[in-house]
Amino acid sequence: MSLGVRWTLHGDGKTPAPGAVVRPDERLSWPRTFGLGAQHVVAMFGASFVAPVLMGLDPNLAIMMSGIATVIFLLATRGRVPSYLGCSLSFVGVAAAIRASGGDAATITGAVFVVAVALFLVGLAVQRFGARIIHAAMPPVVTGAVVMLIGFNLAPVTASTYWPQDQWTALAVMLFTGLAVVCLRGFLARIAIFLGLIFGYLLSWVLDLAFGKIHSPVGGGDATAHWRLDLSAVGSADWIGLPSFHAPSFELSAILVALPVVIALIAENAGHVKAVGEMTGDSLDDKLGTAIAADGAASMLSTAVGGPPNTTYSENIGVMAATRVYSTAAYWAAACFALLFGLCPKFGAVVAAIPGGVLGGITVILYGMIGLLGAQIWLNGRVDLRNPLNLVPAAAGIIIGVGGVSLKITDNFELGGIALGTIVVITGYHALRVMAPAHMKDERPVPTAAGDAEGDRGVPGGA
């Protein structure tokens, strides 16, 4: 059986003909293929090293495991689904919540390992029964609400941990990144977050030279005098070496906080596989379950050794759309580059030195964008929020998730935040759907006060 590691040369191997595309089983010349692989690394780099930093995990290990995860994914999908698996930002809020309740890096990776197992099992179920089980269990109103509460749950992290470390640098980085996202075009627009980090890094260095140390709180603690950019660990770091590994530990409370993220990962994978299928002109519906299971298996391996979970990356899908080169050979090249970066501790030290104020400016935009992806899911799914069946569970779940509402079950166990909000959205929607009158279950929207139904903006996928 083919593993998708043989490619035919496309044309002359230099550039695709006008209107032509380089298919997944084709490649350009090897120098060009490695160049495209390097471009894919740059595209995934911003989010892939921001994620472990925000989660308090080793960025070197994260980058290295993203390369290994990509290899697993390409082999599992037999080279039919060109995609890069980078570090998932969906777990940043989970990591913050677990640390706030006394957990450490091992607790985070243990909780995420269980989520990866759940994702793997969902992938197997989709392989067996088809994508209809996803649409039945998680219609757009549910998926959008869960993604939204996960993103907006992160707001206190920015407000209390990152932004106060250097508020003026945070403001400058926020403005620069916003301008980059809006005003840049093509490839530069796709790495706007990465450019914002570089800008903030350099700005912090200049401010240290010009004004000396800053007196501010670090990591939500007491105010102290410190350098904005502390590069002391960079000089002592080796050029070549293995990243730090650790085993996961499992705590039920942390697992319950992390489990809701599996919904976001399923929606993310399904959307990316569909997008790749549309670009390549090759229906990939039969590979959806395999792709989800491969993502779960790769994340299980990464978290088992202390790394973050992985997911398919829209940044790299954007690079394919811009270049019209869908060759999986380029992704193999990108995976090799990621492995090499992961074996350079000095690189990890540079990443770990990112100033808190810089992260403050980045996360204001980044966390908000994650939350608003939920609204985008509602728009794409044409969810009618005038229908109480949609509005009530979504509204209640989001407020619980964003506000950190908790429910004490026993003296030693309570549900709150993301976990409780997700449970309310999912169980609330399906329970209310059983009891709701027939006109609320109809896909047509609830009429306005004026009595018009405004077309067909209903809720698709309802059971």
Side-chain angles (χ1 to χ4, degrees):
M1 185 180 290
S2 172
L3 293 177
V5 292
R6 291 175 180 244
W7 303 274
T8 58
L9 190 66
H10 177 88
D12 61 1
K14 294 181 180 179
T15 54
V21 300
V22 180
R23 295 185 54 77
D25 59 351
E26 297 179 327
R27 65 169 176 85
L28 297 177
S29 66
W30 284 117
R32 287 174 174 78
T33 295
F34 278 101
L36 286 165
Q39 183 171 256
H40 278 299
V41 169
V42 173
M44 68 86 182
F45 215 65
S48 264
F49 80 62
V50 170
V53 169
L54 296 179
M55 293 173 69
L57 302 176
D58 184 352
N60 272 64
L61 180 58
I63 296 297
M64 187 178 80
M65 294 310 297
S66 77
I68 295 174
T70 299
V71 169
I72 292 172
F73 185 88
L74 294 173
L75 290 174
T77 58
R78 309 293 181 188
R80 282 189 58 200
V81 187
S83 196
Y84 193 93
L85 264 62
C87 309
S88 175
L89 282 162
S90 299
F91 290 91
V92 172
V94 166
I98 292 173
R99 287 191 182 277
S101 59
D104 56 11
T107 312
I108 292 170
T109 52
V112 177
F113 178 88
V114 175
V115 176
V117 172
L119 186 64
F120 176 74
L121 295 176
V122 168
L124 295 183
V126 173
Q127 255 184 324
R128 175 66 179 84
F129 301 106
R132 64 182 181 277
I133 64 170
I134 294 178
H135 303 312
M138 296 180 299
V141 62
V142 170
T143 308
V146 172
V147 172
M148 186 175 289
L149 69 87
I150 288 172
F152 291 155
N153 179 265
L154 298 166
V157 177
T158 293
S160 61
T161 302
Y162 296 128
W163 190 279
Q165 291 188 41
D166 189 354
Q167 60 177 0
W168 295 110
T169 295
L171 180 63
V173 170
M174 181 194 73
L175 294 174
F176 177 90
T177 306
L179 286 171
V181 170
V182 173
C183 299
L184 296 180
R185 294 290 181 268
F187 179 68
L188 290 177
R190 294 188 185 93
I191 61 168
I193 299 294
F194 180 63
L195 296 177
L197 285 170
I198 294 175
F199 169 79
Y201 210 101
L202 295 175
L203 177 62
S204 298
W205 176 65
V206 170
L207 291 175
D208 279 343
L209 290 178
F211 303 106
K213 293 183 177 181
I214 186 173
H215 189 81
S216 67
V218 179
D222 296 330
T224 59
H226 60 93
W227 296 108
R228 297 169 180 83
L229 178 61
D230 184 0
L231 297 174
S232 57
V234 176
S236 59
D238 295 328
W239 281 103
I240 299 175
L242 288 172
S244 10
F245 301 97
H246 70 256
S249 66
F250 303 96
E251 295 182 12
L252 181 59
S253 58
I255 291 169
L256 290 174
V257 169
L259 269 176
V261 182
V262 75
I263 296 173
L265 296 180
I266 294 168
E268 195 170 43
N269 273 277
H272 288 172
V273 170
K274 182 178 180 181
V276 171
E278 290 176 351
M279 287 191 298
T280 60
D282 181 16
S283 176
L284 298 175
D285 289 348
D286 61 319
K287 287 294 181 183
L288 176 58
T290 303
I292 293 174
D295 188 354
S299 293
M300 286 163 60
L301 177 61
S302 178
T303 52
V305 297
N310 294 285
T311 188
T312 50
Y313 256 34
S314 57
E315 289 90 338
N316 298 91
I317 292 173
V319 171
M320 287 194 296
T323 61
R324 298 175 66 82
V325 178
Y326 308 123
S327 171
T328 54
Y331 283 106
W332 277 91
C336 292
F337 283 127
L339 286 169
L340 293 176
F341 274 121
L343 295 173
C344 179
K346 195 172 287 291
F347 157 77
V350 171
V351 172
I354 296 173
V358 176
L359 293 176
I362 291 292
T363 53
V364 162
I365 294 176
L366 190 60
Y367 292 171
M369 289 170 67
I370 294 171
L372 288 175
L373 284 175
Q376 186 63 50
I377 291 172
W378 283 345
L379 290 173
N380 292 342
R382 303 165 81 179
V383 173
D384 186 0
L385 291 178
R386 294 169 300 175
N387 186 338
L389 176 58
N390 297 328
L391 179 63
V392 171
I398 288 171
I399 290 300
I400 288 171
V402 174
V405 175
S406 62
L407 183 66
K408 190 170 183 178
I409 310 298
T410 69
D411 289 339
N412 300 317
F413 178 70
E414 68 177 22
L415 283 171
I418 295 173
L420 182 58
T422 300
I423 291 171
V424 167
V425 173
I426 295 176
T427 60
Y429 174 80
H430 288 290
L432 289 174
R433 187 170 184 83
V434 171
M435 298 179 285
H439 72 274
M440 288 188 184
K441 302 177 188 179
D442 195 340
E443 291 189 354
R444 290 173 299 177
V446 176
T448 61
D452 66 306
E454 291 191 11
D456 61 350
R457 300 189 312 161
V459 185

